[in-house]
Every structure is written in C-alpha cells, then in structure tokens.
Amino acid sequence: MTDILEFQNVTKEFPGVKALQNVNFQITKGEVHGLVGENGAGKSTLMKILSGVYQPTTGDIYLEGDKVNFTNPKQAQNLGVSIIHQEFSLIPYLNAVDNIYLGREIRKGNGLLNKALMKERTKETLHKLNAHINIDTPVANLSIAEQQFIEIAKAISIDCKILIFDEPTASLTGKEVEDLFRLIDTLKAEGVTIIYISHHLEEILRMCDRITCLRDGEWVNSKSISETNKDDMVKMMVGRDVNNNFPASNTSIENNEQLLAVKRLSNDYVNNVQFTIKKGEILGIAGLVGSGELKPFEL
Ligand SMILES: Nc1ncnc2c1ncn2[C@@H]1O[C@H](COP(=O)(O)OP(=O)(O)OP(=O)(O)O)[C@@H](O)[C@H]1O
C-alpha cells in the first residue's frame, strides 16, 4: 500500500476565518477515501487547495512523493488531480464532445479541428464508463446525472490519477446514484484514487475504503471503514456522543392550532401546491434540485 497523496500541516486563512489548521493525513493509492465533517469543517476548502482553486496559507502537499504547489486548476489537472464540483462547469449549449475538449481541442496537421477523432475518443471514454449518452445534443438537454457523467468523462480524459467528488449525489435520483456508484467502482478498478465528500454517511460506509474526519478546520482522525460506523463518524464530526439524531417530536403540544394553510398554489415554478403547518411543527420540504421547493416561500 503506497500513499499517493500527503497533506502536511496545511493551514488556510480567509479574512477573519481559519478554515484549515495544520491538517496532516495521507491518502493511499487506488482507494476511495471519504472526507466527512459538519458544515464549515473545511472539507471543500481542503479539496479546493488540492485542485488548485485556492493556495494554502502555509503547509505542503505531496503528490506521489513530490511537493506540488498548484496555482490554478489547470496545473492540478495536468498532474492528474481533478474535482467534480456540485455546480458543473459545462457550457450548456455545447455538446459532450465540445465540452470535454474545450480549450484542448485536437487538431489535424493543417490546423483544422479533428472533430472525428474527438468524437471517437469521447465515445470510447463514455463506453469505458458504461454511460449511454447522446453526445450530439447540447448538454443543457441532458439530465443532471448525464451531465455529471460528462464532467467525469472530461476529468478522466485528461489522465486523472485523483478524482474528487464533492457531494456528488445531492441532485441525483435513487437509480442515478446506483449508476454513479457503479461508475466509481469502474474508476477504482482502473486505478483512479477517489476522494469522496458526502454528508450521507450510508454512502460513505458503502463506497469508501477509509475515511478522514475534519472538525472546525482541524484533522480529527483517519481510519479504515471497518474500524468505524455511523455513530462513530457522527461522534468524530461533532466531538461528543450524539444519542439522539432525531429527538422525538414534541407530542406535548396539545393545541393543534393551524398556523398556515396553502391551497392550490400555482405560479411559473410550482403547480397546485398544498400544505398546512400546525403550531410547533417542523415541516420538511423535499425534492430534487429544480423541483421548486423554495419557490412557495418567495411569494
Ligand atoms: N472564500 C471564502 N472566504 C471566507 N471564508 C470562507 C471561504 N470559503 C470557506 N470559508 C469558511 O471556511 C470554513 C470552512 O468552509 P468549507 O466550505 O471548507 O467547509 P465544508 O466542510 O466544505 O462545509 P460544507 O459541508 O457546508 O460544504 C467555513 O467557516 C467557511 O465559512
């Protein structure tokens, strides 16, 4: 087992905020490494440093034993480190091929674009990922999951050694999540090292070989998945035992007074929305990105 990556005393300060403080840990070559921590723990900041979006205030990163200091994402990509952000970087009106080769187009000897070769290579990459996607249509016409696959295809077509996923399942349906997990297995089998950020601890337990927990910008622990479980991870994340993730609802509220009733509400975003809220209730509103879940409150 050799380490592909090492963080040494990585600290990142933003004006008034110490986002990371002396973070030290290693990532083993070929593993799926989960990064967990509460909101604001520093996970995204650390991954943005690794992928060249930010530079550390102090501290070092070693990639395959060599100290690296990425000053932009392109440098990181050229050395094999790519990140799939929650917000994709695809150009909506370009198709998969044009997106994947944007800024690094393949040209023929006469300088003209070698569209046929780029198309062929895109097909090969998507085939390797077992993704059946229409590569001729603008990506805006594709589902979120298909767009995510194109982001991944883009990353691995630049010879990716480390691929970082930041909350990859946030906008996916159950079936799409399964497709993504299969794809991650394929990437792992190809020897790609994966860093996986998620708040869904079931996903971490299912997909990861090892985990690292951050809390308030500091490293808490790194351990093998067989040495941890959900309660243990929550304890590391919050720094104490949490016996009640979801306390029983307050059944002592006898007054069932209805505070708000929304009936047959429609506008440009929502259609025939109905709900009521009683005094003392917590109302959960669920849905995929774009379901319009925030819109009723904007009215
Ligand atoms: N560009 C920035 N400017 C100032 N403060 C920032 C910036 N980016 C992050 N922070 C702060 O750094 C700390 C760590 O944030 P970060 O986004 O890395 O946490 P996280 O663990 O990824 O959280 P989440 O799970 O919510 O994404 C937070 O206090 C955050 O407010």
Side-chain angles (χ1 to χ4, degrees):
M1 295 285 212
T2 50
D3 291 333
I4 188 166
L5 189 70
E6 178 166 11
F7 297 99
Q8 273 190 11
N9 297 315
V10 174
T11 293
K12 176 69 183 176
E13 289 172 14
F14 293 111
V17 186
K18 214 167 206 182
L20 293 168
Q21 206 168 346
N22 284 327
V23 171
N24 289 288
F25 66 94
Q26 297 87 23
I27 293 193
T28 307
K29 196 170 184 167
E31 71 177 354
V32 180
H33 195 104
L35 197 51
V36 298
E38 286 194 291
N39 292 115
K43 307 178 295 293
S44 297
T45 302
L46 186 64
M47 292 303 106
K48 284 180 180 165
I49 289 175
L50 174 59
S51 56
V53 178
Y54 296 148
Q55 283 72 56
T57 308
T58 55
D60 297 309
I61 295 177
Y62 289 84
L63 178 66
E64 296 184 310
D66 294 327
K67 191 157 137 181
V68 287
N69 188 7
F70 302 133
T71 51
N72 60 57
K74 198 156 180 138
Q75 278 182 1
Q77 277 171 10
N78 288 342
L79 284 186
V81 181
S82 287
I83 183 164
I84 311 292
H85 291 285
Q86 286 179 43
E87 304 291 331
F88 302 146
S89 61
L90 303 175
I91 310 289
Y93 52 83
L94 296 182
N95 66 24
V97 186
D98 294 339
N99 264 292
I100 288 173
Y101 286 96
L102 188 66
R104 51 189 196 94
E105 293 80 4
I106 303 175
R107 294 182 186 275
K108 298 179 195 164
N110 60 8
L112 294 177
L113 292 179
N114 194 338
K115 289 193 169 186
L117 184 59
M118 289 189 279
K119 191 168 179 177
E120 200 46 48
R121 292 214 176 142
T122 299
K123 277 188 193 161
E124 274 169 25
T125 308
L126 288 170
H127 179 73
K128 197 158 77 179
L129 298 176
N130 213 4
H132 308 284
I133 293 173
N134 179 348
I135 60 172
D136 295 313
T137 189
V139 298
N141 296 341
L142 302 174
S143 71
I144 298 288
E146 289 172 323
Q147 292 183 33
Q148 189 182 51
F149 272 43
I150 292 171
E151 282 277 358
I152 296 165
K154 186 173 166 184
I156 65 165
S157 67
I158 320 174
D159 197 15
C160 182
K161 292 177 190 160
I162 298 180
L163 189 54
I164 305 158
F165 287 92
D166 191 353
E167 293 285 351
T169 59
S171 313
L172 304 185
T173 64
K175 177 184 174 299
E176 290 167 346
V177 170
E178 290 304 318
D179 290 342
L180 175 72
F181 286 174
R182 263 195 298 278
L183 183 145
I184 290 177
D185 284 339
T186 307
L187 292 174
K188 191 180 160 187
E190 296 260 328
V192 179
T193 304
I194 313 272
I195 302 178
Y196 191 94
I197 301 181
S198 180
H199 286 104
H200 298 289
L201 299 182
E202 317 79 46
E203 290 178 10
I204 296 281
L205 287 168
R206 174 163 166 201
M207 294 307 298
C208 298
D209 301 301
R210 289 200 312 136
I211 59 142
T212 287
C213 178
L214 298 180
R215 186 171 66 236
D216 298 332
E218 294 185 38
W219 176 87
V220 178
N221 208 338
S222 298
K223 50 170 84 170
S224 153
I225 207 70
S226 60
E227 295 168 336
T228 189
N229 55 41
K230 215 165 162 179
D231 288 345
D232 179 56
M233 281 194 273
V234 172
K235 189 175 166 183
M236 286 192 282
M237 285 161 62
V238 300
R240 60 183 164 80
D241 275 316
V242 178
N243 298 320
N244 242 337
N245 279 338
F246 298 102
S249 62
N250 188 351
T251 47
S252 68
I253 299 171
E254 284 166 11
N255 181 357
N256 255 0
E257 187 188 335
Q258 188 172 289
L259 284 183
L260 179 74
V262 174
K263 292 185 179 165
R264 294 183 295 283
L265 182 73
S266 298
N267 68 1
D268 288 348
Y269 306 106
V270 296
N271 184 23
N272 206 16
V273 170
Q274 320 224 25
F275 62 89
T276 58
I277 306 180
K278 291 178 188 163
K279 193 172 179 181
E281 263 186 353
I282 298 172
L283 176 74
I285 298 183
L288 293 172
V289 172
S291 308
E293 63 269 26
L294 291 175
K295 299 297 190 278
F297 297 105
E298 289 172 0
L299 295 171

